[in-house]
Amino acid sequence: MDSVAATSLFSVLNFIIFIFISSVSTDQTNITAQTGQDTFLPCRSPDNKPVAFVEWIRSDLGSEYLLLYRNDQLDLENQHVMFKDRVDLQDRQMKDGNVSLVLKNVTTDDRGAYECRIIQTETNSLRKTMVIINLDVLPPPDQKNITAQTGQDTFLPCRSPDNKPVAFVEWRRSDLGSEYLLLYRNDKIDLENQHVMFKDRVDLQDRQMKDGNVSLVLKNVTTDDRGAYECRIVQTETNSQRKTIINLIVTSPGEPDGRNRDGPAGRRNLWIYVVVGLIGLMVSVALGIFVYWICKKPLCLSPKSNQSSEEPLQAEQPLTGQNQPAD
């Protein structure tokens, strides 16, 4: 009997056992993940009891499974090709009945309903549990760069997919902690846990949010407002989510090209000035040494110095016959 037939037979027998098991329970959970991230699909046996069998499947992908645990080991023989080297148990020891699945490098193709099937071994009976995880995967966030000048008001653009109505809007800056800039929920703006930096400085560009426009108005911009702003939207109709990231660059008057002195360009220019200064200093020192070395030669002595040095030599010359006194 080949492996495919054996697996099919095992699935049939498992289904029959599932029908006649004394106790069956089902639970459902919704999970949202971001593309490119790793996510956990939670599943745990009732009362945290030990398990004899764990199977993770997605019904829309046919009979192949994502992960199968039986006979005290993981069975990877008939694993679906989409999940090879991408799934594992969160805890291979399955302590306290934890059989949660790790799904790595999530893509939009991973959207779907995942089933976790557990068979427990108890004293007098078998107990089967099925958990359904509805996984929604968000597309990569949109990213935009916005430049503003200190003292001005600026707009941070954000819009819901297909311009659909929104149920929830959250603006935040991750470097500022858990407090938000602006929060819209329950059909109103919630200012209770707003960050102190943005009190009375932010508003929605259109409070009616027509055509899904949830752009933010940021008033009287300062250099402290530089950073990455996140706009997270939950739509009313589909309950789907979208994240947009706005990189805000704030310049002071006189700073060209949207650069700031504290940023990478400013630091790069500072290094240029330092290097040029050091080169100039080295050239000056080298030139001084060269001049000093040249001036130690007779070429650098003045004519007066040459004359004074020659006079003693002339005085010491021997007398000639014309100058000798007569006998």
Side-chain angles (χ1 to χ4, degrees):
M1 181 182 298
D2 58 21
S3 59
V4 176
T7 302
S8 299
L9 178 59
F10 181 82
S11 298
V12 171
L13 292 174
N14 180 44
F15 179 74
I16 295 173
I17 293 172
F18 183 79
I19 293 175
F20 291 101
I21 277 177
S22 59
S23 177
V24 178
S25 60
T26 304
D27 194 11
Q28 287 206 41
T29 306
N30 296 324
I31 298 290
T32 300
Q34 189 82 44
T35 52
Q37 293 180 345
D38 297 348
T39 192
F40 296 94
L41 306 185
C43 186
R44 188 179 293 272
S45 65
D47 304 321
N48 302 335
K49 298 290 186 180
V51 298
F53 173 91
V54 178
E55 183 184 47
W56 279 95
I57 65 169
R58 217 174 83 185
S59 56
D60 61 317
L61 295 180
S63 60
E64 292 177 307
Y65 51 80
L66 286 68
L67 184 141
L68 176 63
Y69 175 88
R70 61 180 177 181
N71 300 327
D72 299 322
Q73 64 181 357
L74 292 176
D75 184 346
L76 303 178
E77 187 175 350
N78 291 295
Q79 187 180 42
H80 195 284
V81 67
M82 272 181 60
F83 300 96
K84 287 189 181 297
D85 302 319
R86 293 183 58 224
V87 293
D88 200 352
L89 288 175
Q90 187 178 10
D91 178 9
R92 286 204 177 192
Q93 305 301 317
M94 296 183 291
K95 295 175 184 174
D96 301 323
N98 180 17
V99 293
S100 300
L101 189 77
V102 180
L103 178 56
K104 304 174 184 176
N105 192 22
V106 174
T107 71
T108 52
D109 291 334
D110 293 325
R111 291 177 177 139
Y114 293 75
E115 296 179 16
C116 169
R117 297 177 178 177
I118 301 171
I119 297 180
Q120 284 181 285
T121 306
E122 297 182 349
T123 306
N124 298 319
S125 64
L126 291 174
R127 182 176 181 180
K128 179 154 185 174
T129 301
M130 184 169 69
V131 176
I132 298 177
I133 311 291
N134 298 304
L135 177 63
D136 184 24
V137 181
L138 302 179
D142 297 330
Q143 292 207 35
K144 299 180 177 66
N145 294 326
I146 298 293
T147 301
Q149 197 168 69
T150 55
Q152 294 181 344
D153 297 348
T154 191
F155 296 94
L156 307 184
C158 187
R159 190 177 292 274
S160 68
D162 304 319
N163 303 336
K164 298 290 186 181
V166 299
F168 176 92
V169 178
E170 183 183 52
W171 278 95
R172 67 169 61 244
R173 221 174 77 187
S174 56
D175 61 319
L176 296 180
S178 59
E179 292 177 306
Y180 51 80
L181 284 68
L182 183 142
L183 176 64
Y184 175 89
R185 62 182 175 183
N186 300 326
D187 299 323
K188 64 180 181 179
I189 294 178
D190 185 346
L191 303 177
E192 186 176 349
N193 291 300
Q194 188 181 39
H195 195 284
V196 65
M197 273 181 60
F198 300 96
K199 288 189 181 296
D200 302 320
R201 294 184 57 224
V202 293
D203 200 353
L204 289 176
Q205 185 179 12
D206 178 8
R207 287 208 174 193
Q208 306 300 318
M209 296 184 290
K210 294 174 183 174
D211 301 322
N213 180 18
V214 293
S215 301
L216 189 77
V217 180
L218 179 56
K219 304 173 184 176
N220 192 22
V221 173
T222 71
T223 53
D224 290 334
D225 293 326
R226 295 166 178 155
Y229 292 76
E230 296 179 4
C231 169
R232 189 165 68 90
I233 299 170
V234 178
Q235 287 183 287
T236 305
E237 297 177 359
T238 60
N239 204 35
S240 61
Q241 300 187 34
R242 169 175 286 187
K243 182 190 290 187
T244 301
I245 297 177
I246 310 293
N247 298 306
L248 179 62
I249 302 167
V250 180
T251 65
S252 299
E255 291 180 339
D257 301 329
R259 307 286 182 177
N260 59 78
R261 283 186 285 269
D262 298 330
R267 289 192 292 270
R268 187 163 55 246
N269 291 337
L270 178 61
W271 276 110
I272 291 173
Y273 298 146
V274 171
V275 171
V276 170
L278 288 174
I279 292 174
L281 179 61
M282 293 171 63
V283 170
S284 300
V285 172
L287 184 60
I289 294 173
F290 177 74
V291 171
Y292 175 75
W293 180 78
I294 290 294
C295 282
K296 293 182 68 175
K297 300 292 184 180
L299 182 63
C300 255
L301 297 175
S302 64
K304 186 179 292 186
S305 300
N306 291 339
Q307 184 178 356
S308 61
S309 63
E310 291 174 358
E311 285 176 355
L313 294 176
Q314 293 175 359
E316 294 175 1
Q317 289 180 357
L319 297 175
T320 63
Q322 296 176 351
N323 297 328
Q324 290 180 358
D327 293 334

